[in-house]
Amino acid sequence: MTATVTPLRPGKSEPSLDPVIALVAADMNKVNAVILGRMQSDVPLIPELAGHLIAGGGKRMRPMLTLACAKLLDYPGDRHCKLAACVEFIHTATLLHDDVVDVSDQRRGKKTANIIWGNPASVLVGDFLFSRSFELMVEDGSLKVLKILSNASAVIAEGEVNQLTAQRRIDTGEDRYLDIIGAKTAALFAAACRIAAVVAERDEEVEEALDSYGRNLGIAFQLVDDAIDYVSDGETMGKDVGDDFRDGKVTLPVILAHARGTDEEKQFWRDAIEGRRVADEDLARAKDLLIHHNAIADTMARARHYGQRAIDALGPFPAGQAKAALVEAVEFAVARAY
Amino acid sequence: MTATVTPLRPGKSEPSLDPVIALVAADMNKVNAVILGRMQSDVPLIPELAGHLIAGGGKRMRPMLTLACAKLLDYPGDRHCKLAACVEFIHTATLLHDDVVDVSDQRRGKKTANIIWGNPASVLVGDFLFSRSFELMVEDGSLKVLKILSNASAVIAEGEVNQLTAQRRIDTGEDRYLDIIGAKTAALFAAACRIAAVVAERDEEVEEALDSYGRNLGIAFQLVDDAIDYVSDGETMGKDVGDDFRDGKVTLPVILAHARGTDEEKQFWRDAIEGRRVADEDLARAKDLLIHHNAIADTMARARHYGQRAIDALGPFPAGQAKAALVEAVEFAVARAY
């Protein structure tokens, strides 16, 4: 199934992550070296389990943002590489814990760590990576960076608990859902971008602009993920289509279709989200209803709204290769997987 | 069942925690206020779950050490109270995750959080408390404290993973076991004491002395816990006697009895630790073997050895109320629960 996408850049070629990947390629090698070096331990299970996920084909989206924002600011130093590794460690720790929380069995097209090594190992190696991330930040020595990333970490955990308490609740509204993804996803995107301004010693306004870029991109990114879960194929996204549906996750497509549905449809969504409709025919009906009520298309429209805000947050920065790459990264995020 | 205890302070009254509790009572009120204030969140499940454990009758042993060490150094300020709260948050986060890892159902005589609210909530609220702890440290603003506590956190997680990989392995030796408890238990005791020297702006030697006090006390504390698991009653320790045995945990009493046992006894221990002997009669035999080989008494002797080292680490400090209370806390730790 394919949804209609209104491009943010009419008349141009397909947006791609390639420009931003090329922009930060040299720095990303340094980040990877830090990651590999600092996930080591005398306890062999730690690098083994961490490596499975860290070396396992993630896009390194968040550290990439730190590096690209540093380029945007012409930062000449090296500190951002270590800090980008911190961001990736925090992200990896949350993924390890998320997979335990969600009882996931697949991520990025591979078995999850909790399936291979068990929940205890995933919880504890997540804790290790999280602690190691703070050790690395302390080595860098910026209290401002520590404040930004410790706050982001607390907000992420708060968002995850918030999501947990909204689990299987069809009465979750769009506002609360935006609060949740603003915390669990967008906060780390925002922090990843913001710390580039800190290491480059730029003023509060620059920090705020990069924070806004990252936060809006993060929301757009998550909304597109939510839409993809209903329309893509398993191979493209590394997990099965309809996983969110079967897990009873209330995401924006569901919120919109439920809000716009008849009483009978509302009851269908309630049954589905509460776990009483998990058959393939139920998923098929859910997809029909999402299409019928434009819920996928409108989730994508919301994503483009936040994507546009991310792009506009870059307004204060001079045109150039870095800015163009950051803009195209947003365009890619809202157009991907179709 | 009662083991024979050689008192560290012959001829004196029963050692007690009362002197150290009295010493820090006023400061502990401030710590409790910080803890209560900073475990709040707009997500109600967070204070609810955290409060269950934090308000649930723990001894506040680790923050008490921070406060008592600050008294020992005549520290006149207030920073140690917030940092003592950080230590308790880290400890609480590790307890929440431990109970998930160990599939525990009881702690401190109450149902564990994972039983009441489920594993996902325990994992995520643990993450929240851990992040909040770092936020508090950042507010305090000492990079040295941040370094000590982030390092301790990484070491704890590493120790927990190490313990996980030693799980149900009867070939775990005493050295490896000491490595594990040195990391998972003693590292936070050491850090809790050491940060008092940092806020009091004392030199490296004072830091080292307090670190040594805390580390040795932590090891003694854990060894006594291991012994208690085989000899106390459920009411005293808030969990069931023999829990470690039924969980196949290789603790020092088991290591000693196994090392000293006949071939037939070695096979018994292997069967037990690998989960093939969990009946009451098996536990009864285990206790007989532990007594027969002096494994409980010698575990307590080892604990007293580390306790004595903790006390001797206080050598450089002048006699006084604080020192006496810290010494008696050690004596209490190695004599308790009989």
Side-chain angles (χ1 to χ4, degrees):
Chain A
M1 184 183 306
T2 304
T4 311
V5 178
T6 311
L8 278 178
R9 26 187 271 151
K12 293 193 196 167
S13 62
E14 281 290 288
S16 158
L17 272 185
D18 293 344
V20 74
I21 290 170
L23 180 75
V24 305
D27 284 348
M28 191 59 89
N29 286 335
K30 293 182 196 166
V31 174
N32 285 330
V34 175
I35 288 174
L36 280 172
R38 301 308 286 269
M39 71 185 209
Q40 296 309 314
S41 162
D42 290 339
V43 182
L45 177 56
I46 291 176
E48 195 183 334
L49 191 155
H52 173 77
L53 191 54
I54 288 178
K59 291 180 294 298
R60 299 262 200 279
M61 193 73 187
R62 293 152 192 83
M64 190 154 66
L65 289 172
T66 304
L67 301 181
C69 288
K71 287 276 181 208
L72 179 72
L73 302 177
D74 285 325
Y75 169 64
D78 232 1
R79 288 171 54 199
H80 62 313
C81 294
K82 200 187 248 185
L83 295 175
C86 293
V87 168
E88 187 68 1
F89 276 162
I90 292 174
H91 176 56
T92 307
T94 63
L95 291 186
L96 286 171
H97 289 184
D98 277 358
D99 284 341
V100 171
V101 165
D102 291 344
V103 200
S104 313
D105 55 9
Q106 224 192 343
R107 179 179 290 279
R108 297 172 182 167
K110 294 169 70 174
K111 272 191 190 170
T112 53
N114 48 308
I115 293 298
I116 301 175
W117 290 280
N119 284 343
S122 288
V123 170
L124 297 175
V125 174
D127 288 349
F128 173 80
L129 291 177
F130 197 62
S131 304
R132 183 48 57 88
S133 169
F134 276 92
E135 279 192 285
L136 276 169
M137 281 178 238
V138 171
E139 281 176 25
D140 172 70
S142 163
L143 279 167
K144 209 163 178 184
V145 168
L146 275 156
K147 182 175 180 174
I148 291 165
L149 287 174
S150 62
N151 178 256
S153 301
V155 167
I156 291 167
E158 215 166 10
E160 302 260 16
V161 180
N162 196 4
Q163 182 173 49
L164 194 66
T165 57
Q167 212 175 31
R168 296 195 177 278
R169 294 191 58 167
I170 191 62
D171 59 343
T172 309
E174 180 166 352
D175 287 343
R176 179 165 183 196
Y177 185 66
L178 285 171
D179 282 348
I180 290 171
I181 67 175
K184 77 165 192 136
T185 306
L188 192 56
F189 275 74
C193 295
R194 180 171 211 136
I195 58 177
V198 176
V199 296
E201 296 178 10
R202 301 293 287 267
D203 64 23
E204 184 73 16
E205 275 166 43
V206 172
E207 274 188 44
E208 291 290 347
L210 292 183
D211 186 290
S212 175
Y213 169 81
R215 190 172 306 276
N216 283 294
L217 172 57
I219 294 172
F221 189 87
Q222 183 63 55
L223 291 177
V224 174
D225 258 11
D226 294 344
I228 286 176
D229 197 83
Y230 284 95
V231 297
S232 186
D233 58 275
E235 206 153 316
T236 307
M237 68 180 171
K239 57 175 190 171
D240 294 328
V241 70
D243 272 354
D244 285 354
F245 180 77
R246 278 182 292 267
D247 292 344
K249 284 195 184 163
V250 182
T251 58
L252 189 57
V254 172
I255 291 170
L256 295 179
H258 174 260
R260 297 169 182 179
T262 63
D263 285 351
E264 189 276 328
E265 289 168 9
K266 282 189 164 68
Q267 189 58 47
F268 167 82
W269 285 113
R270 175 176 296 274
D271 290 342
I273 292 305
E274 292 178 359
R276 294 184 296 272
R277 288 189 174 276
V278 293
D280 286 350
E281 69 210 42
D282 297 316
L283 176 59
R285 170 140 205 237
K287 287 159 95 173
D288 284 347
L289 290 175
L290 292 170
I291 299 295
H292 174 71
H293 288 295
N294 282 320
I296 297 290
D298 284 356
T299 294
M300 294 303 294
R302 301 283 211 279
R304 286 194 300 279
H305 160 86
Y306 290 102
Q308 190 61 58
R309 283 173 59 175
I311 289 168
D312 286 328
L314 296 177
F317 302 103
Q321 199 193 349
K323 182 165 169 173
L326 283 165
V327 168
E328 193 167 339
V330 177
E331 292 168 338
F332 170 79
V334 299
R336 77 201 145 102
Y338 285 89
Chain B
M1 184 182 307
T2 305
T4 312
V5 177
T6 311
L8 278 178
R9 26 186 271 150
K12 292 193 197 166
S13 62
E14 281 289 289
S16 158
L17 271 185
D18 292 345
V20 74
I21 290 170
L23 180 75
V24 305
D27 284 349
M28 191 58 90
N29 286 334
K30 293 181 196 165
V31 174
N32 286 330
V34 175
I35 287 174
L36 280 172
R38 302 308 285 268
M39 70 185 209
Q40 296 308 315
S41 162
D42 290 340
V43 183
L45 178 56
I46 290 175
E48 196 183 334
L49 191 156
H52 173 76
L53 191 54
I54 288 178
K59 292 180 292 298
R60 300 260 199 280
M61 193 74 188
R62 294 152 190 81
M64 191 154 65
L65 289 172
T66 305
L67 302 181
C69 289
K71 287 276 182 209
L72 181 71
L73 303 176
D74 284 326
Y75 169 65
D78 232 4
R79 288 172 54 200
H80 62 315
C81 294
K82 200 187 248 186
L83 294 176
C86 293
V87 168
E88 187 69 2
F89 276 163
I90 292 175
H91 176 57
T92 307
T94 64
L95 292 186
L96 286 172
H97 288 183
D98 277 358
D99 285 341
V100 170
V101 165
D102 292 344
V103 201
S104 313
D105 55 9
Q106 224 191 343
R107 179 178 291 278
R108 297 172 182 168
K110 294 168 71 174
K111 273 191 190 172
T112 53
N114 48 309
I115 294 296
I116 302 175
W117 290 280
N119 285 343
S122 288
V123 170
L124 297 175
V125 174
D127 289 349
F128 174 79
L129 291 176
F130 197 62
S131 304
R132 181 49 56 87
S133 169
F134 277 91
E135 280 191 285
L136 276 169
M137 282 177 237
V138 171
E139 281 176 25
D140 172 71
S142 163
L143 278 167
K144 209 164 178 185
V145 168
L146 275 156
K147 182 175 181 176
I148 291 165
L149 287 174
S150 62
N151 179 256
S153 301
V155 167
I156 292 167
E158 215 165 11
E160 302 259 16
V161 180
N162 197 4
Q163 183 173 47
L164 194 66
T165 58
Q167 212 175 31
R168 296 195 177 276
R169 293 189 59 166
I170 190 62
D171 60 343
T172 309
E174 180 166 351
D175 287 344
R176 179 166 184 196
Y177 184 67
L178 285 172
D179 282 349
I180 290 171
I181 67 175
K184 77 165 192 137
T185 306
L188 192 57
F189 275 73
C193 295
R194 181 172 213 139
I195 59 176
V198 176
V199 294
E201 297 178 9
R202 302 295 286 268
D203 63 23
E204 185 73 16
E205 277 166 42
V206 172
E207 274 188 44
E208 291 290 349
L210 292 184
D211 185 291
S212 175
Y213 169 82
R215 190 172 306 276
N216 283 294
L217 172 57
I219 293 173
F221 190 86
Q222 183 63 56
L223 292 177
V224 175
D225 258 11
D226 294 345
I228 286 176
D229 197 84
Y230 283 96
V231 296
S232 186
D233 58 273
E235 206 153 314
T236 307
M237 68 180 172
K239 56 176 190 171
D240 294 328
V241 69
D243 272 354
D244 286 354
F245 180 78
R246 278 181 292 267
D247 292 344
K249 284 195 183 163
V250 182
T251 58
L252 189 58
V254 172
I255 291 169
L256 295 179
H258 174 262
R260 297 168 182 181
T262 64
D263 285 353
E264 188 275 329
E265 288 167 12
K266 281 189 165 67
Q267 188 59 48
F268 167 82
W269 285 114
R270 174 177 298 274
D271 290 343
I273 293 305
E274 292 178 358
R276 295 184 296 273
R277 288 190 175 275
V278 293
D280 286 350
E281 68 209 43
D282 297 317
L283 175 59
R285 170 140 204 236
K287 287 159 95 174
D288 284 347
L289 290 175
L290 292 170
I291 299 295
H292 175 71
H293 288 296
N294 282 320
I296 296 291
D298 284 356
T299 295
M300 293 302 295
R302 301 282 211 278
R304 285 194 300 279
H305 159 85
Y306 290 102
Q308 192 60 59
R309 283 173 59 175
I311 289 169
D312 287 327
L314 296 178
F317 302 101
Q321 197 192 351
K323 183 165 168 174
L326 283 165
V327 168
E328 193 167 340
V330 177
E331 293 167 338
F332 170 80
V334 299
R336 78 202 144 100
Y338 285 91

